[in-house]
Amino acid sequence: MMEHDHILYRLRFDDLNGHRIHVRLRIPHPNPTGQTLFLPAWIPGSYLLRDFSRQIENIQAFCGNRPLDIQKVANHEWRCEPCSGVLEVEYVIYAWDLSVRSAHVDDSHAFFNGTSVFLGVAGQESQPCFVHLSPPQNKNDWKVYTSLPEAKGHPEAAQRHGFGLYVAPDYDALIDHPFELGTPYYIAFDAYGVTHELVFTGFIPNIDLKRIAADVKQICETQIALFEPSTHEVPVLDSSDRYVFMTLVTADGYGGLEHRSSTALMAARHDLPTLHCDTNTKTKGYQDFLGLVSHEYFHTWNVKRIKPAAFAPYDLLRENHTRLLWVFEGFTSYYDELMLWRSGVIDQNTFLERQAHVIGLVHRTGGRLKQSTAESSFDTWTRFYKQDENSPNALVSYYSKGALVALALDLYIQHHSQRQHSLDDVMRLMWQRYGRDFYRGKPVGVAENAMPELIFEATGVDVSDLITRYAEGREDPPLAELFALHNIELKAVVKDATPTLNVRLKDSAAEVSIATVYEFGAAHQAGLSAGDVLIALDRLRIRSSQQLQQLLARYQAQDTVTLTVFRGDELRQYEVTLAAPVADHFELIAQS
């Protein structure tokens, strides 16, 4: 296979200070009637139209040395005039989005997803694609980290520090292997014969890489054994010989985005362990980071290969609606915590504490009574990823409530099969039927109504009523009853006895304001609104949410207080009858 016969992208990083990536795209066999090019409108795994094409600058087309007319014909599409020879397109990407979804370039590193950088060649999406990376000037110590395979055996194959030529079997694969360039912290480990690389970008004094690698290895091997208990086969693809965890480290970042043989993560610096930490304990922040790692790695099976039918294949230019994200994100959210416990990274009590936390999060969301997880899945494009001040009153998370549905199903299956089966059997059946051969033949996804039958086939337990009521419907799963069947007590507790305004607050450097007014609560009844800046309570100044709590502690429920606020630039006063605190936090206690 020679790159001059196939689509080739040459990337240069000549303007790090300007946060730009220069791309030259070579198309040997363009459509003779005029070639259409496109850039994905969204990135799989993050269900919102991101309009990456808005970051393309200075696009030009050439046939030999002759300039060609190239016109934008839609939000994410361009069309070149007919070309009788090789078509070359030059364009510049502005890359200044510090997230896992897009691209970020400066003088310290370069990170990018293919969906933000590689123009697709319409009609040739199944053709192999080459990528050539040129090193930036004066960055002799920079290296390349990616799960995209090198074009081994080619004269321009990646050699020194990974700069050079890479190859993907098709466009779908090309955009599913992000790149990190720079001088990150690095460590690798072996999990069942496959190299797993951990790459951390950012300044992290005294980071304990060996400890992180040991914990992540346990998580990875536990997940591999779940899906392939006999062979322990790791599903890396596209001739990749490794799996890569790429983590952008910031002051307070958190998030992740899965890919077929890698994942992009964001983590807070203070959540990562240092060489001086007590190795016998794990802070909540470090547990959260390991949970994020576990979540994105579990997606290697559940969503990257086992997919909803609506994603098989993706339509990258418009929304892809499915009602099943409660399975693909919710089940993954349940298993990311379960894998921490099973791997030994956390103990049972910590696992139960973290489950109780999720139960509380969902229970405090009034929107769970208005929107089902199936509806949340379908509406993710217009509602879940576009949340506002009223979202807690109107929406439910298919992540967190989906995790509780998975938990309820698992407890129910185990009890009604007399512990002969569990949700594990369901995941393995889905893997064998939909995931294991997904990229090796015609992709087949899970039908929208398939879950009750799949679960019955895998376990012999009929859960159709549970799915109707708790996933398709808006009822709370009966977790207290289900836990009791397993000798675990679920208790609702009052976390703080202070009377409440029933609001969510937002602190800034100079003021505290209302972020959300919870429906039917004290503030709602009094007429307060999101955005109101709190000035004083009974003539005493409010400087922070913590100080407000201290003031409220001097009162009892049903006391009436005067709250002075700015709404816009108008000073207003409201008489508020304080509400009693509610038991909206939970504890899970394993009975001896």
Side-chain angles (χ1 to χ4, degrees):
M1 179 185 298
M2 299 298 291
E3 91 286 353
H4 61 261
D5 293 325
H6 297 286
I7 297 165
L8 170 65
Y9 302 81
R10 289 189 177 273
L11 273 61
R12 305 193 326 273
F13 303 88
D14 299 337
D15 187 11
L16 297 177
N17 292 339
H19 320 302
R20 288 176 172 86
I21 305 172
H22 292 76
V23 185
R24 187 174 183 93
L25 166 60
R26 186 176 189 274
I27 307 168
H29 307 292
N31 187 325
T33 65
Q35 181 63 58
T36 297
L37 306 171
F38 66 91
L39 197 69
W42 62 288
I43 183 168
S46 184
Y47 307 108
L48 177 69
L49 296 185
R50 302 283 177 181
D51 298 323
F52 298 123
S53 59
R54 75 188 190 281
Q55 303 298 359
I56 289 187
E57 303 176 347
N58 304 327
I59 188 167
Q60 304 172 74
F62 303 89
C63 185
N65 294 322
R66 182 173 68 89
L68 297 179
D69 184 58
I70 180 169
Q71 295 290 332
K72 197 169 189 180
V73 295
N75 286 342
H76 318 289
E77 296 176 273
W78 293 257
R79 187 171 178 82
C80 300
E81 70 171 286
C83 174
S84 60
V86 174
L87 171 63
E88 294 195 280
V89 180
E90 291 190 0
Y91 57 98
V92 178
I93 301 291
Y94 181 70
W96 193 234
D97 178 11
L98 188 62
S99 76
V100 298
R101 298 177 298 270
S102 188
H104 186 268
V105 171
D106 65 13
D107 62 356
S108 68
H109 87 123
F111 168 81
F112 62 90
N113 286 288
T115 45
S116 296
V117 172
F118 299 126
L119 282 172
V121 183
Q124 299 189 40
E125 293 89 343
S126 62
Q127 295 301 308
C129 302
F130 284 84
V131 176
H132 186 276
L133 300 177
S134 296
Q137 290 185 350
N138 303 318
K139 296 294 181 181
N140 297 328
D141 55 347
W142 277 29
K143 296 182 180 180
V144 178
Y145 302 88
T146 182
S147 55
L148 188 67
E150 302 168 4
K152 295 179 180 178
H154 189 277
E156 290 190 87
Q159 295 178 4
R160 187 177 182 275
H161 291 179
F163 289 96
L165 200 63
Y166 293 79
V167 62
D170 52 38
Y171 184 76
D172 184 65
L174 176 69
I175 61 172
D176 214 4
H177 296 274
F179 285 79
E180 172 68 30
L181 285 61
T183 58
Y185 301 86
Y186 172 88
I187 193 170
F189 62 86
D190 178 277
Y192 291 122
V194 172
T195 299
H196 289 60
E197 301 179 334
L198 290 163
V199 178
F200 294 90
T201 297
F203 180 55
I204 325 162
N206 295 313
I207 182 173
D208 193 342
L209 291 174
K210 290 184 178 179
R211 182 181 183 188
I212 298 172
D215 289 335
V216 175
K217 175 184 173 73
Q218 289 177 248
I219 295 165
C220 293
E221 291 188 340
T222 302
Q223 293 191 15
I224 294 165
L226 166 66
F227 286 98
E228 295 287 1
S230 300
T231 65
H232 294 159
E233 181 181 354
V234 184
V236 293
L237 276 180
D238 306 329
S239 300
S240 178
D241 57 359
R242 60 194 175 276
Y243 186 97
V244 186
F245 295 95
M246 303 176 189
T247 304
L248 297 168
V249 181
T250 65
D252 56 2
Y254 182 85
L257 189 62
E258 67 276 3
H259 298 278
R260 60 178 68 183
S261 299
S262 60
T263 186
L265 309 169
M266 288 195 76
R269 187 175 293 106
H270 56 78
D271 286 343
L272 301 175
T274 70
L275 294 170
H276 311 302
C277 288
D278 179 2
T279 57
N280 294 318
T281 61
K282 291 182 175 68
T283 64
K284 182 182 181 301
Y286 184 42
Q287 293 172 24
D288 291 344
F289 171 72
L290 293 175
L292 177 64
V293 167
S294 180
H295 184 98
E296 303 306 334
Y297 195 68
F298 199 84
H299 274 319
T300 307
W301 295 268
N302 194 36
V303 96
K304 292 313 300 180
R305 289 156 176 84
I306 311 166
K307 296 177 185 282
F311 294 174
Y314 296 117
D315 184 337
L316 294 169
L317 296 181
R318 55 190 55 82
E319 299 95 337
N320 293 202
H321 291 287
T322 176
R323 295 172 66 86
L324 287 178
L325 292 181
W326 63 272
V327 175
F328 292 94
E329 292 292 356
F331 279 28
T332 301
S333 295
Y334 169 59
Y335 270 99
D336 67 38
E337 300 284 344
L338 190 60
M339 293 294 102
L340 296 187
W341 176 27
R342 287 190 187 170
S343 67
V345 168
I346 61 175
D347 59 22
Q348 182 188 33
N349 288 336
T350 303
F351 171 73
L352 293 177
E353 288 174 6
R354 293 179 68 83
Q355 292 299 293
H357 175 71
V358 177
I359 294 169
L361 286 178
V362 175
H363 188 82
R364 292 190 293 275
T365 303
R368 77 189 195 284
L369 304 176
K370 297 180 180 179
Q371 186 188 51
S372 71
T373 58
E375 292 167 334
S376 177
S377 301
F378 192 88
D379 287 341
T380 184
W381 300 90
T382 55
R383 302 188 73 186
F384 186 77
Y385 276 93
K386 294 182 178 181
Q387 296 198 23
D388 57 27
E389 69 282 348
N390 190 52
S391 293
N393 296 318
L395 308 182
V396 71
S397 167
Y398 52 77
Y399 286 89
S400 53
K401 190 177 179 184
L404 298 188
V405 172
L407 169 62
L409 290 172
D410 201 7
L411 294 173
Y412 187 88
I413 291 166
Q414 290 183 44
H415 176 73
H416 287 273
S417 67
Q418 298 180 334
R419 294 191 176 272
Q420 296 299 307
H421 295 287
S422 71
L423 202 60
D424 291 359
D425 298 287
V426 180
M427 297 310 306
R428 279 190 286 266
L429 175 62
M430 293 172 68
W431 170 242
Q432 292 159 9
R433 181 164 301 168
Y434 297 102
R436 181 181 284 160
D437 297 320
F438 184 86
Y439 291 109
R440 298 170 184 165
K442 184 178 180 181
V444 176
V446 180
E448 294 290 293
N449 61 352
M451 290 309 299
E453 184 177 338
L454 280 170
I455 293 174
F456 183 79
E457 180 180 350
T459 68
V461 178
D462 183 358
V463 299
S464 54
D465 182 60
L466 277 70
I467 289 176
T468 298
R469 294 169 63 185
Y470 311 129
E472 293 285 345
R474 302 166 187 172
E475 296 182 47
D476 291 327
L479 291 174
E481 300 171 20
L482 292 169
F483 272 119
L485 297 174
H486 297 263
N487 297 316
I488 298 172
E489 180 185 7
L490 175 63
K491 290 199 313 182
V493 297
V494 175
K495 185 178 181 181
D496 188 343
T498 304
T500 179
L501 298 172
N502 302 125
V503 295
R504 182 169 60 92
L505 299 173
K506 178 183 178 182
D507 281 294
S508 68
E511 62 190 25
V512 57
S513 59
I514 297 176
T516 296
V517 174
Y518 292 118
E519 194 171 20
F520 307 127
H524 180 185
Q525 301 294 340
L528 291 156
S529 297
D532 289 348
V533 178
L534 306 185
I535 304 300
L537 187 148
D538 281 349
R539 296 182 297 148
L540 293 176
R541 185 175 176 182
I542 301 169
R543 289 185 171 88
S544 67
S545 57
Q546 181 180 9
Q547 186 192 31
L548 175 60
Q549 283 297 102
Q550 293 170 347
L551 292 174
L552 289 172
R554 295 180 173 273
Y555 297 85
Q556 293 183 336
Q558 301 306 311
D559 285 349
T560 298
V561 298
T562 300
L563 198 61
T564 305
V565 307
F566 268 118
R567 180 170 295 173
D569 60 355
E570 294 183 16
L571 190 66
R572 299 191 181 190
Q573 286 190 337
Y574 294 88
E575 301 299 311
V576 185
T577 301
L578 300 177
V582 296
D584 58 1
H585 289 71
F586 292 84
E587 294 178 354
L588 282 168
I589 304 166
Q591 304 298 308
S592 56

